[in-house]
Amino acid sequence: MSKKCQNDDVDRKITIGVCVMEKKVFSAPMGQILERLQAFGEFEIIHFGDKVILEEPVERWPICDCLIAFHSSGYPLEKAEAYAALRKPFLVNELEHQHLLHDRRKVYECLESYGIPVPRYALVNREKPYQELDYFIEEEDFVEVHGQRFWKPFVEKPVHGDDHRIMIYYPSSAGGGMKELFRKVGNRSSEFHPEVRRVRRESSYIYEEFMPTGGTDVKVYTVGPKYAHAEARKSPVVDGVVMRNPDGKEVRYPVLLTPNEKQMAREVCIAFRQGVCGFDLLRCEGRSYVCDVNGWSFVKNSYKYYDDAACVLRKMFLDAKAPHLSTAIPPILPWKVNEPVQPSEGLTRQGSGIIGSFGQAEELRCVIAIVRHGDRTPKQKVKLKVTEEKLLNLMLKYNGGRPRAETKLKSAVQLQDLLDATRILVPHTSEAEYIEHAEKLRQVKAVLEEGGHFSGIYRKVQLKPLKWVKVAKGDTEEERPIEALMILKYGGVLTHAGRKQAEELGRYFRNNMYPGEGTGLLRLHSTYRHDLKIYSSDEGRVQMSAAAFAKGLLDLEGQLTPILVSLVSKDSSMLDGLDNASTNMEEAKARLNELVTSGVKIAQANGSAKKPWMIDGAGIPPNASELLPKLVKLTKKVTEQVRLLAKDEDEKLTETTSYDVIPPYDQAKALGKTNIDVDRIAAGLPCGSEGFLLMYARWRKLERDLYNERKERYDITQIPDVYDSCKYDLLHNAHLKIEGLDELFKVAQLLADGVIPNEYGINPKQKLKIGSKIARRLLGKILIDLRNTREEAINAAELKSECMDSSSTVVDKGFTDCQQKNVIKNEESRRTCHTSEKSMDPEDDEDKEIKYRLDPKYANVRTPERHVRTRLYFTSESHIHSVMNVLRYCNLDGSLQGEASLVCDSALERLLKTKELDYMSHIVLRMFENVEVNLDDPKRYRLEMTFSRGADLSPLEQNNLEASSLHQEHTLPIMGPERLQEIGSYLTLEKMEKMLRPFAMPAEDFPPATIPQGFSGYFRSAGVLERLGDRKCWMVHATNHSFLSVTRDSYV
């Protein structure tokens, strides 16, 4: 070849054909990247245009060396394939494989063939609309496809990739209903339909497991197999409101990918043969899954990404068509378009807020709160022995025909069966021997009919066989039950007031617990520098309180069901039950009964006048034994008045012979309304869905259980229930004007203030013993939260220090490399550190936790390294008392003798006077880091402890203007935070760990790591997941330039 020809070859520009619809060509990202490619001077860009693409034959299309071509609405993909076959250009995205993207079945099939994890799914293929299929079964709370069962919540996707109407169906235990996801319309991306419970049947669908992702979606963008960029956004499954910036664009922030996720990105790119490709990633329980592949996609509004994408595409084109040319990037990028300096919203250094600042060098690192649920209806229980064959047959129907096995009925179908049987059995006789049994059956019927809806969260029935006989069956005999004990538990429903209280407290936390500039927490949260996890016990009122709180905390909109399923994790082992403290509590109650009923003055042998909280039975009124007869008398007076109110309703119910099926329950009633039912109040009916008959049953049971006239014996364990019912009716049923209720409340409150705290231990040492047994797992979890935060903060500080030492010319690469080193270092330290210090938490360790970390290279944020961890634990009264008792009395343990209490004396005295930790009471631990102190200095980390009594005001309060106003809305204000430490005191993390460790579950006792057997149900906690297997990091080695490095690992 002559020298002139060689020069011509070098000078000739590589032609890049842009064969896409004009709407896509003129999009901002495409324009930015094509401009950069052209600025290199090596390429000629040829735009085909819509007229050529749609009207001209392929033989007349421009000839090019490289082709950018991808499908969009109205695009002739087959025609583009014919052109590629004719001219054979280098294809950034191969055309044949783009057909796969239109069929979700083929997308999943392709992903699986490459070993890329996808959610568990099954296909329902119909040849015609509404075709009945033998292999498809739908029940109330699950669908079954070819024997594979998907419990709600599950996802229903049309098989056609261009149909974006995706549905999520929620379980009845979370309120039921369906959420429809769709392409963004205005500021909406989804809508919740509480009345829809049946799946679609008009087409073919994919059914897959719902993956709880912490309310966040991740979109990954590849440019070739060696470059991946990820952005996160608020998931449409939460409240359907699209977060937009002042320019109207959806708010998304770059986040770091793990090495495994980057490997998945590479494999997606290769599997679908799409150089530029976007796909959706779900992070759930420590693992990542691909749930959709979109094909050609560019990141919006990221100049750094535009630079990277142009450089990677340039290398791809040169490698394909001019491998003899150098792919080295010039020292200064040739285009003149510089990324404009955009104002970055930063947050100021964080002071402590409540106790007082310890200097501007202190930053908030962690917020931990243990919160009691909101206002609820009184909890109720009905016990009766049944011998009716219909009820015994029902028990056998739902326990698999086992005569000695008990049955639990919770689902709507099961409760409807029970209601049908009860309606037939409610007797119409007034014979004396049947009166009590008939009364209880009518109560069961009324409870099942209450509110016109069923909800498994709030009503459940147990049937326990008591007696059996053998009956002949052919040549053999079989057992049949002839008597069973029926136990109906109901009530405890979160009221409209409880929901309002929880939302208000969430808003308070948002505005006060995270001090800083402007929007504070919301800015921190939206930029993925806020690591939030919310846990709840198994109780419905606790779950809904957690969801309502999350709504207020994160400024969400809409119904609670999607928020609950998306953001709240259920952990009954940590937040439910009394564990192994029952025996100790029975001992405490026996001693308490003696102190309350004997009339003997309380001894002060274990205490002193200076420390009144140290005596046995502290807080019990000295005249307790004299108050008991008064309590019984006033309870009878109130019960009689409610009986008269219920008389007419009882007669009407007895005459009713309707056998109508109860319609699907009203979701607003099941979850607690936001407002009072004004019509019921105006009609003189009880608030909520409780009728007079159930209200009377509630008071009648209290009257019977409180005092046994035959044995002349008081049951002091009923005192809290009498107080509970009094307070509920004074708050919600004051319009019924029940005489003597206010007087009864005053007496009940005096006794309850002494009884309730002492049920958890009659003296400080017993309180500590019982508290540590009940809250052992929760305390262990809190210690792990604090340790993980410290470890994360140390790693971040070291990372920042290393990066500051890096050369200014390679800042990006230095920061990236620091992150990579930090991941390795962090993992190694976790493997080798001492057992008592290492992080082995099944919920929050790296094994399982869903993490979203801001990518500092691409983020327009002033302090990208700043990070705050929040852990919220919603539970019941027992756990609040238990944690508080351990905090204030931990120094009484033999191993900690000589240590001062974590709680100061003035706070101990206030706690003694507080008595009740009411609805929405909470304990808050906040950890601050002093960044000017050495990393190994114990004073680097300071803890601040506060508590709130919750909605502790009396409903009879007249002097509080806020309370009087709220009382009109049937609610009470939540009291503000109070200090547990002296002003100016300094509680180090080291001291906190030392004091709590003897009472907390050790990290090594948490469940061992296990491989998940498939997601077992919504927000259900599981064991520790196996660590990500392949930690190898793949990087771009083509050049030495920092912006081509794509190793963006999480450093926690």
Side-chain angles (χ1 to χ4, degrees), residues 214-216 234-235 238-239 241 243 502-511 514 519-528 530-534 546-558 562-564 566-568 870 872:
T216 298
K234 184 175 78 171
S235 171
V238 180
D239 65 353
V241 177
M243 292 174 62
E503 281 192 45
E504 286 293 338
L505 186 59
R507 278 191 283 273
Y508 175 85
F509 264 59
R510 187 213 312 163
N511 295 323
Y514 306 84
T519 53
L521 172 68
L522 292 182
R523 170 66 178 167
L524 196 69
H525 191 77
S526 68
T527 54
Y528 301 94
H530 178 227
D531 179 7
L532 171 69
K533 296 291 181 297
I534 304 174
F549 182 97
K551 183 178 180 180
L553 180 73
L554 299 177
D555 198 23
L556 302 174
E557 296 181 13
I563 296 171
L564 171 66
S566 301
L567 298 179
V568 181
T870 297
L872 304 172

Side-chain angles (χ1 to χ4, degrees), residues 544-617:
M544 291 304 167
S545 296
F549 182 97
K551 183 178 180 180
L553 180 73
L554 299 177
D555 198 23
L556 302 174
E557 296 181 13
Q559 302 275 13
L560 293 186
T561 294
I563 296 171
L564 171 66
V565 172
S566 301
L567 298 179
V568 181
S569 298
K570 189 166 63 176
D571 193 321
S572 57
S573 65
M574 181 167 62
L575 298 167
D576 265 328
L578 301 177
D579 205 26
N580 57 348
S582 299
T583 304
N584 299 102
M585 288 189 72
E586 289 304 319
E587 291 172 5
K589 287 177 182 178
R591 174 70 176 136
L592 181 60
N593 184 75
E594 181 185 331
L595 291 172
V596 172
T597 59
S598 66
V600 177
K601 191 174 181 181
I602 296 168
Q604 298 197 14
N606 296 331
S608 67
K610 290 184 179 179
K611 296 187 176 183
W613 54 85
M614 294 299 292
I615 66 172
D616 283 10

Side-chain angles (χ1 to χ4, degrees), residues 104-263:
R104 289 190 172 95
R105 293 168 294 193
K106 292 179 180 177
V107 168
Y108 272 20
E109 189 179 309
C110 183
L111 290 168
E112 287 182 300
S113 70
Y114 276 78
I116 300 167
V118 298
R120 186 173 69 91
Y121 75 97
L123 304 175
V124 173
N125 294 310
R126 290 188 175 88
E127 295 177 0
K128 58 183 180 181
Y130 304 101
Q131 178 185 4
E132 291 298 322
L133 302 167
D134 293 340
Y135 62 80
F136 180 72
I137 300 167
E138 181 180 13
E139 294 292 345
E140 181 190 10
D141 269 334
F142 67 85
V143 292
E144 194 171 289
V145 184
H146 292 297
Q148 193 175 174
R149 187 167 292 185
F150 294 84
W151 290 94
K152 291 180 179 178
F154 57 70
V155 182
E156 177 188 72
K157 296 179 177 177
V159 296
H160 300 294
D162 298 325
D163 186 346
H164 300 286
R165 294 178 64 244
I166 294 171
M167 311 298 191
I168 299 170
Y169 297 88
Y170 296 100
S172 57
S173 58
M178 175 271 286
K179 171 152 277 195
E180 177 183 357
L181 313 185
F182 45 76
R183 282 277 176 99
K184 292 185 285 290
V185 179
N187 72 330
R188 302 293 308 177
S189 58
S190 68
E191 289 292 341
F192 183 62
H193 303 277
E195 74 287 350
V196 177
R197 286 165 171 74
R198 304 283 290 176
V199 301
R200 292 176 287 180
R201 285 175 162 75
E202 55 265 35
S203 187
S204 297
Y205 299 98
I206 293 174
Y207 290 93
E208 68 181 53
E209 215 155 21
F210 175 82
M211 297 281 182
T213 63
T216 298
D217 281 352
V218 176
K219 182 84 144 183
V220 182
Y221 302 85
T222 70
V223 185
K226 295 181 180 179
Y227 180 94
H229 174 93
E231 290 194 341
R233 63 167 185 174
K234 184 175 78 171
S235 171
V237 307
V238 180
D239 65 353
V241 177
V242 180
M243 292 174 62
R244 296 190 182 276
N245 62 22
D247 298 327
K249 301 211 169 17
E250 184 179 19
V251 174
R252 295 186 179 191
Y253 281 94
V255 291
L256 299 162
L257 290 172
T258 67
N260 266 19
E261 289 169 340
K262 284 181 282 190
Q263 182 63 25

Side-chain angles (χ1 to χ4, degrees), residues 18-24 48-58 61 67-85 91 93-96 98-99 102:
V18 183
C19 179
V20 299
M21 303 302 282
E22 288 174 0
K23 184 180 178 183
K24 298 294 182 181
F48 283 29
D50 286 1
K51 183 175 175 62
V52 169
I53 294 170
L54 297 175
E55 298 177 11
E56 296 287 343
V58 295
W61 285 12
L67 186 68
I68 294 174
F70 57 87
H71 181 269
S72 62
S73 180
Y75 186 77
L77 185 58
E78 291 81 2
K79 200 172 178 182
E81 288 181 87
Y83 170 80
L91 298 172
N93 283 26
E94 293 196 15
L95 297 166
E96 183 183 347
Q98 291 184 33
H99 290 287
H102 301 296

Side-chain angles (χ1 to χ4, degrees), residues 807-827:
S807 166
S808 59
T809 58
V810 288
V811 169
D812 282 343
K813 179 167 171 46
F815 197 76
T816 299
D817 291 346
C818 286
Q819 289 176 338
Q820 177 65 15
K821 291 173 187 173
N822 218 287
V823 171
I824 298 167
K825 175 182 174 183
N826 191 26
E827 288 181 2

